[in-house]
Amino acid sequence: MASLRVSVVLALAVTLFTSPVYADDPVVEIKSGKLGGKSVEFSHSDIDVQRTVHVFKGIPYAEPPVGDLRFQPPKPKVPWEGVHNAANFGSACMQSIEPLVPVQEPLSEDCLFLNVYAPQVDDSASLPVMVWIHGGAFIIGSGGFRYDGTALAATGDVIVVSINYRLGPFGFLATGDEHTAGNYGFYDQIAALRWVQDNIAAFGGDATKVTIFGESAGAISSEYLFLSPLTDGLFRRVILQSGSASLPGFVSTDTATQNKIAHGLGKLLGCDEDSSDELVKCLRTVPAEDFIEPSDMSSGLLANVTGLDFEIESSPFPPVVDGKFVTEAPATLIRERNFNKKDIDFMIGTLSDEGMTYCMFFMADKLNQTEVTMDRDTYEALYPAVLTKRFKNNPAVLDAIKLLYVNWEDADVEDADYVEAFSHMQGDQFFVCRADQSARAYSLAGANVYLYQITHAPAKSIWPCTWLKAAHMEEIPFVFGWHFVQEMEWTMPKEDVDLAVEIMKYWTNFAKTGNPNSPSSNDDDSQTSWPLFKVPGLEYKDLSLKMETKRALKAKECAFWNDFIPKLMKHTDSDSICSAVDDDLHLQKYKEEANVDPSQ
């Protein structure tokens, strides 16, 4: 079907519906059957846009992954009769309740739903499509309420799709063998993208102009999808917001550890079986809600039963190198530019204070303060604890990190503040320099790459405190225009509203053309023009009130993390073959001589 076809729903047909759909609401027919959505009249006093957006929520894109379908790739949705009511969000996937990042939807293992926000169009329209993949460390989150795409669709003239995918053990449990290969959350994402290819034309969308975008674990997912050989033809562009597939803790190649974790979970759930086959059969009979506490890192149960030390930035159920969805560790694929998609456009970026989110978790007792400080003793105790395993046990690396990030001009001052040192160390290690690594690799491979950093501290934080500045996740209200979405009840001052409008333009322009600049923008105007990131050159956009073009973002720090630290470890950590994982000269020796996870 070429575009959205709105039909008048006859009263006598109401008995066929899952629940009532009313006469002024849109009905669209996709391959699985008919959907009844809602018409939303979008307008706001702070923006000159008036648009009808057709909203379809809770669309099942696969069969419920329950019973024998637990720990299996998703199965195509069986067609339904009548009109499926798509007025409300479907259930979020099973997860622990996180007060700082709550989900509004009920939890269920039956959670493979997506949502479509489509501007009303005529039959000839064919709009670009933006598919949002939510974050949450692969253990929490949903594609629902928080990511309402109405404002982005209405102001940018694009179709926005947001998706759920399985989390925690339901999405990523692996036994290290053929019985449970893992990565089911990624296979859910692929199924959702195939649904878009098969059905988006019915909503007025162009299946050849699909952009995948996500934040944190959503960005990690997006880069994994790019690196996977299973996703050819499913998207044309990628936006990575504060996340990279090379992030330590979010990949496992150690099948022995995967098996140990799976059997440890089994012990906690009454499935103390010897073989993987019997373990998986038993785990499929356990009620879904029973998985939550044992698989929650904060409970410590899985660490105790396995004797493993799970890192702060990782999950006990990470993505795995399974030889099918992904063939090698992402860091290796990126570094060696070993990817078969050569015509993908990229927008890659971070925020200037990513690491402040870690400060918030470690200083939860100070959330109500207007500002915070960190003394030297606290810094000395904390900073090694939040480094990856391969760093924290190497004294030379610890000293080098401290040398770079401590403000030595004030190091002898008794009340010197170390918050900035802690925050930037974390932000650079996990986000900024991973983005730099990806941007360089894709640009050198010939892709169009646009790099950004958001330095503007929002007047209202997404987190329950006021001192985080431009921290992790703070771009979400700007990208989705929360100020313009009535249900969000999110008010911004004028300068933040103006920035949100510009960011939404950049994102939707990129989805349309692969270039965030408006077609009519003046290339000489640094306020609007966003240059390509190239090596050399290294230009990027500072997304702030001034919208300046800058160059060489954190060049010294990223040379430190991406080049110097691997070499330092090679020469100082002779007892650990892991130190060679990021060094090209030692990569083959590592693979041949050690059965360890190269992310550790």
Side-chain angles (χ1 to χ4, degrees), residues 297 302-304 306-312 314 385 387 389 392-393 600:
M297 279 196 297
L302 196 55
N304 290 337
T306 61
L308 297 171
D309 177 21
F310 298 111
E311 298 185 290
I312 186 172
S314 65
L387 294 168
K389 292 175 185 176
K392 68 177 63 175
N393 296 323
Q600 305 301 319

Side-chain angles (χ1 to χ4, degrees), residues 346-348 435-444 446-452 516 530-541 550-553:
F346 286 92
M347 182 189 292
I348 303 173
D436 176 81
Q437 197 171 51
S438 293
R440 286 172 181 265
Y442 301 145
S443 178
L444 289 170
N448 290 331
V449 177
Y450 293 88
L451 185 69
Y452 72 85
W530 184 342
L532 278 168
F533 175 88
K534 293 184 178 180
V535 183
L538 309 180
E539 288 184 299
Y540 72 96
K541 198 70 174 174
K550 298 181 179 180
R551 66 174 303 275
L553 173 63

